[in-house]
């Protein structure tokens, strides 16, 4: 094996996906994710079941990542793992495994902040994808997160806005549940929305100070609206599904774009990078493109497999920290809540 190559194994287990990836000098060699199907029947992630599934999945997932990368564990230069934020029981599985493996192989251990990783996923070298230049604004939107972050360097980040209640993906999933759709309903709302009239049913946008977000009021408004309409017409959802979805999507995208516009204006930064599962949404992608000619933005959307929870993003942070020799001690512990 070429000694100049740096091979990083990334391990991610913060929520309900067990993931492992191998990165060589900034390029992904393998990116394996085992999604836990068990939670679907509960309509959301059950923490105790998640940690048990991580324990079952972690060895085969890492094994597969190494095999796909075509390397042996002895070739690894360092192990990077998600320390937090996330579900404690889930984080513990990845953290303990990473520590033991690093110890056994006698190589450096690198702790990674999951939220920083969502942002630094843009630095994975990938053909056809540009890397944002500093400074830029990063908006992380998923089932667990909604944040706007000012990024001035790889490890100089400031959260300038975040949700005060539900995450945007949660708003999608909860709205979908009200409409009788399975979990996670975000992609389904997006699908129906594309055929409906976004202005059919106006929902009020929440008024939240500064660059923060709130989505719980919208969910309640949708619930009351649907309950009222179905009382009058039991087939209301079926007859209006596309328009309801389009109206929900229109409101949510407006909330996100309004805050991005405000953030861009206040900071003077026009480079905008998004991440998280909701960045797959057709509405947000279209709105960002519009922002390019309306407001002179330059926008960045990473390859889909690096937007949802994955270990490739953990490995790239591991690599960036490896270059700085920013290693961690063996007595490190997982942390459910951490700031940048
Ligand atoms: O990043 P992710 O895979 O997991 C975490 O939550 O960390 O994001 C999943 C979330 C779910 O809430 C799902 O409904 C939402 O992303 N999502 C979407 C779309 N695709 C995934 N929401 C709206 N439109 C989509 N196309
Ligand atoms: Zn995440």
């Amino acid at each position: 094996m070429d000694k100049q190559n740096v091979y990083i194994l990334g391990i991610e287990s913060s929520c309900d996906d067990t993931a492992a990836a191998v990165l060589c000098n900034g390029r992904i060699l393998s990116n394996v994710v085992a999604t836990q199907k068990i939670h679907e029947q509960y309509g959301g992630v059950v923490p105790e079941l998640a940690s048990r599934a991580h324990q079952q999945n972690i060895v085969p997932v890492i094994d597969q990542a190494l095999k796909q990368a075509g390397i042996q564990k002895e070739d690894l230069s360092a192990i990077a793992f998600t320390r937090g934020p996330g579900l404690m029981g889930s984080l513990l599985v990845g953290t303990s495994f990473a520590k033991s493996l690093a110890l056994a192989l006698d190589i450096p251990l690198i702790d990674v902040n999951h939220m920083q990783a969502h942002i630094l996923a843009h630095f994975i070298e990938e053909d056809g994808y540009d890397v944002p230049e500093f400074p830029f604004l990063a908006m992380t939107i998923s089932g667990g997160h909604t944040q706007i972050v000012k990024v001035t360097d790889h490890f100089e980040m400031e959260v300038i806005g975040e949700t005060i209640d539900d995450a945007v993906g949660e708003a999608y999933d909860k709205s979908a549940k009200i409409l009788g759709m399975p979990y996670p309903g975000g992609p389904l709302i997006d699908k129906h929305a594309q055929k409906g009239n976004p202005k059919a049913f106006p929902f009020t946008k929440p008024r939240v100070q500064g660059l923060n977000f709130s989505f719980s009021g919208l969910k309640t408004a949708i619930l009351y609206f649907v309950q009222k309409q179905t009382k009058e017409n039991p087939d209301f959802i079926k007859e209006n599904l596309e328009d309801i979805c389009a109206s929900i999507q229109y409101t949510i995208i407006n909330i996100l774009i309004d805050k991005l516009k405000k953030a861009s204006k206040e900071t003077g930064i026009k480079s905008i990078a998004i991440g998280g599962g909701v960045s797959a949404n057709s509405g947000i992608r279209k709105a960002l493109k519009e922002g390019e000619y309306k407001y002179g933005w330059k926008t960045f959307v990473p390859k889909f497999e690096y937007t949802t929870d994955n270990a490739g993003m953990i490995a790239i942070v591991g690599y960036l920290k490896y270059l700085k020799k920013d290693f961690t001690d063996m007595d490190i512990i997982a942390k459910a809540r951490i700031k940048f």
Side-chain angles (χ1 to χ4, degrees):
M1 204 58 56
D2 187 350
K3 273 281 165 238
Q4 277 162 355
N5 282 336
V6 175
Y7 291 95
I8 307 283
L9 172 69
I11 300 175
E12 153 66 31
S13 72
S14 66
C15 190
D16 60 336
D17 292 317
T18 318
V22 176
L23 182 104
C24 177
N25 307 337
R27 285 195 99 84
I28 289 289
L29 299 183
S30 64
N31 192 30
V32 179
V33 183
T35 301
Q36 302 177 3
K37 288 271 172 226
I38 181 109
H39 307 285
E40 269 172 25
Q41 56 188 291
Y42 299 96
V45 178
V46 184
E48 182 54 35
L49 295 178
S51 45
R52 247 186 277 171
H54 281 306
Q55 282 184 335
Q56 286 167 352
N57 293 342
I58 195 149
V59 172
V61 164
I62 291 176
D63 199 43
Q64 207 183 332
L66 290 169
K67 275 205 186 101
Q68 279 183 20
I71 65 161
Q72 308 288 320
K73 59 183 185 308
E74 290 73 22
D75 300 321
L76 290 169
S77 315
I79 314 274
F81 70 98
T82 305
R83 184 191 182 202
L87 301 170
M88 196 57 187
S90 293
L91 290 167
L92 279 172
V93 179
T95 306
S96 331
F97 198 93
K99 279 194 205 179
S100 327
L101 192 56
L103 200 64
L105 296 171
D106 194 21
I107 53 175
L109 179 67
I110 301 170
D111 67 303
V112 174
N113 177 311
H114 179 92
M115 298 307 297
Q116 279 192 339
H118 268 300
I119 294 167
L120 295 174
H122 286 274
F123 293 86
I124 294 172
E125 287 170 32
E126 193 69 45
D127 296 338
Y129 290 83
D130 290 339
V131 169
E133 276 174 28
F134 301 114
F136 65 91
L137 294 176
M139 184 167 74
T140 309
I141 41 177
S142 76
H145 339 287
T146 309
Q147 277 191 338
I148 301 182
V149 180
K150 185 176 156 189
V151 188
T152 33
D153 204 349
H154 289 126
F155 296 100
E156 262 175 58
M157 302 185 184
E158 185 195 348
V159 179
I160 55 173
E162 61 191 331
T163 182
I164 55 169
D165 42 55
D166 292 348
V168 59
E170 247 179 306
Y172 266 107
D173 297 338
K174 287 179 179 172
S175 306
K177 198 172 173 187
I178 295 168
L179 299 174
M181 294 173 182
Y183 173 85
L188 296 170
I189 293 202
D190 187 16
K191 195 177 121 206
H192 293 294
Q194 292 175 50
K195 290 180 240 144
N197 171 9
K199 300 204 172 142
F201 307 109
F203 296 109
T204 29
K205 279 189 290 174
R207 250 181 253 151
V208 192
Q209 291 240 312
L211 297 171
N212 284 342
F213 300 90
S214 166
F215 289 101
S216 69
L218 177 65
K219 168 197 68 197
T220 316
I222 293 166
L223 176 66
Y224 289 162
F225 169 77
V226 169
Q227 280 177 342
K228 187 166 171 272
Q229 297 292 331
T230 15
K231 227 183 233 167
E232 288 163 19
N233 170 13
D235 289 331
F236 176 75
I237 295 180
K238 216 168 80 194
E239 287 170 11
N240 297 279
L241 189 61
E242 290 170 354
D243 285 350
I244 305 170
C245 289
S247 302
I248 294 172
Q249 176 125 312
Y250 179 75
T251 314
I252 293 179
I253 301 306
N254 261 335
I255 295 172
L256 296 175
I257 292 293
D258 276 1
K259 295 290 171 154
L260 265 185
K261 266 162 60 182
K262 196 168 156 64
S264 171
K265 214 167 165 194
E266 283 177 11
T267 57
I269 298 171
K270 290 185 178 236
S271 282
I272 294 169
I274 61 164
V278 182
S279 56
N281 184 270
S282 65
I284 191 74
R285 285 173 177 241
K286 202 166 139 225
L288 286 176
K289 275 276 156 251
E290 271 172 26
E292 296 203 339
Y293 59 81
K294 270 195 193 159
Y295 318 115
W297 290 351
K298 191 164 179 357
T299 65
F300 302 85
V301 183
K303 197 173 171 190
F304 182 68
E305 62 178 290
Y306 306 137
T307 66
T308 56
D309 284 353
N310 69 91
M313 68 183 193
I314 305 304
I316 188 72
V317 181
Y319 180 59
L320 293 167
K321 283 192 162 186
Y322 184 92
L323 296 178
K324 299 197 314 167
K325 295 207 173 3
D326 185 357
F327 305 136
T328 188
D329 294 330
M330 277 296 164
D331 57 4
I332 187 139
I333 49 166
K335 237 172 154 223
R337 290 165 189 271
I338 359 177
K339 295 258 171 225
F340 285 167

